[in-house]
Amino acid sequence: MSPTLLFLLVGVAVPFLALLLISFWTRDGFGFDTTLTFANYERIWTEPIFGALLSRSLWISGVVTVATVLLCYPMAYYVAFHVHRHKMLWIILMTLPFWTSYLLRIFAWKVILGYEGVINASLLSLGWIAAPLEFLLYSPTAVIITLAHAWAAFAILPLYVSLEKIDRSLLEAAADLGDGPARRFFRITLPLSMPGVLSAFFLIFIPTTGDYITPALLGGPDGAMIGNLIQLQFGAVNNWPMGAALSIVLTLWIAAIGLVFLALSRILAQRAA
Amino acid sequence: MSGGSYINRPNRALTAYALVFLTVLYLPVLALPLFSFNESISVRFPLQGFTLQWYVDLWSRDSVLAALWNSVRVGVCVSLLATALGLLAARAITLRRLPGQNAIVAFAMLPLVIPGIIFGVALLILFSRIGVPLSLITVGFGHLVICLPFAVATLLPRFEGFDRSIEEASADLGENGWWTFWRVTFPMVLPGVVASLLLTFTISFDEFIITFFLSGYDATLPIYIWSQLRFPREFPSVLALSTLILAASFILVFTALWIGRIGLARPEEAEARKEGPA
């Protein structure tokens, strides 16, 4: 363990501490003013742009998470309850696209949704529309569609695992006692699969809040997220301390929301037991 | 498996939904290969005609070949290191029940649940403060951080279902610790090792979010593609390159997932065993 632990300390803990430290510095020309100050955090708190981007990121991620879980639940349910042969093949098929390059999957959506993309160009040349449909590209809608597609595997796997674990005799007992399919689902299947639903929430919500590629390629000005702002601080704007402070604020938000999810799943687990 | 039970009765609507779901899952990704064989420079229906011109173009570009070579070098080093560290971690986790063990596993899994951008900028700050210039080595370091959770997660089930008495028997018969590991433990966890190597290589090969912050002058393939995306006339060659990368990842990952399940109980078998005695 010790080499792995050592690597984790150097690769995870130390960079994080460096990030925390530099967030209390300020930019000074091309260098840093190393006096410790809350100046960056005060700016994030007072200037509306930061709060607006942060809340938009959390909102987009929230919509993506809910949409992905709702769309993936029937799929996971189907494989858990109705597929009896080649289950492994189905699981591999459902998760395979997730392993291909993230950048390429997002690029694929740009090819499909873009002004010159598959949908618009085809509809134009068929004469069905007069001008490109603008809502398809450079909008929060495009970001939401793309992210929901890109993170589907993160919902399917935990949902499948929790559904697969459900003791089938409970359902049979409910059926014998006269519960119909709907009541069986809402009184047994859904409550028992809640741990899977919660971990899917966890696994999708957290990484999507920090995404900057999807908004950069498909978001346009109204679809920019906090990740784009952080990336700018380390690029064109060249204000590393500010970028560090934004990263810390994002991490704190994620941690806070994560703790709420965790507390919820504890409560649910206790109720189930 | 209670296949004939009225609860598991086939459900047409659900089957249809599953098929639509799979189609939508694959359709966007398949658009890339479809248009990479298209003669027209713009991506639209109807297709203009079949051509391999964009693929031939790729071979004449030194920057593509250089980026490919960079990606392969980083990927091989990262997959070997991540799997070695993952092996050590998985073995230590299952060998002895240390206090605070769950915390250590959670710590190792941390990169899975923290946005990549935060690791990217944190490592960038660290490297620049200690004066390490950005290069393929810094890229590899970043990849190692995010590959480790996948290596541990792939290898851990191998060690968990492991009968320790076999190792003890080997020790009793006079093998020392190293030979026991090499001749007894290693062959049993080998499918997991192969799966971990292939998966971590694929992750490193495809990684963009962290690489963007940590790469210097030497571009990896995803960085090269990103740099070409702003030129519309480069679209077809990017499509061709993407198609090749997609094909490589699909094959690698399918092999990894298939090998990774060898020897592990299949869901159906586990089910049968669970229901069997009752």
Side-chain angles (χ1 to χ4, degrees), chain A residues 217-235:
Chain A
L217 281 178
L218 295 150
D222 292 335
M225 289 167 67
I226 193 78
N228 302 93
L229 198 59
I230 294 176
Q231 188 228 317
L232 273 180
Q233 308 299 321
F234 289 90

Side-chain angles (χ1 to χ4, degrees), chain A residues 81-82 84 168 171, chain B residues 1-11:
Chain A
F81 284 91
H82 292 287
H84 306 303
R168 304 301 195 265
L171 292 167
Chain B
M1 195 81 226
S2 44
S5 158
Y6 46 94
I7 287 165
N8 297 336
R9 191 171 19 186
N11 182 330

Side-chain angles (χ1 to χ4, degrees), chain A residues 40 43-44 47-57 209-213 215-216 220-221 223-247 249-250, chain B residues 117 121 212-213:
Chain A
N40 296 319
R43 269 189 69 198
I44 294 172
E47 290 178 27
I49 171 80
F50 297 110
L53 274 177
L54 196 61
S55 54
R56 184 197 284 157
S57 302
T209 48
D211 191 21
Y212 65 92
I213 313 174
M225 289 167 67
I226 193 78
N228 302 93
L229 198 59
I230 294 176
Q231 188 228 317
L232 273 180
Q233 308 299 321
F234 289 90
V237 176
N238 194 23
N239 188 347
W240 286 25
M242 190 68 205
L246 282 171
S247 306
V249 170
L250 177 61
Chain B
I117 188 172
V121 300
F212 180 76
F213 290 102

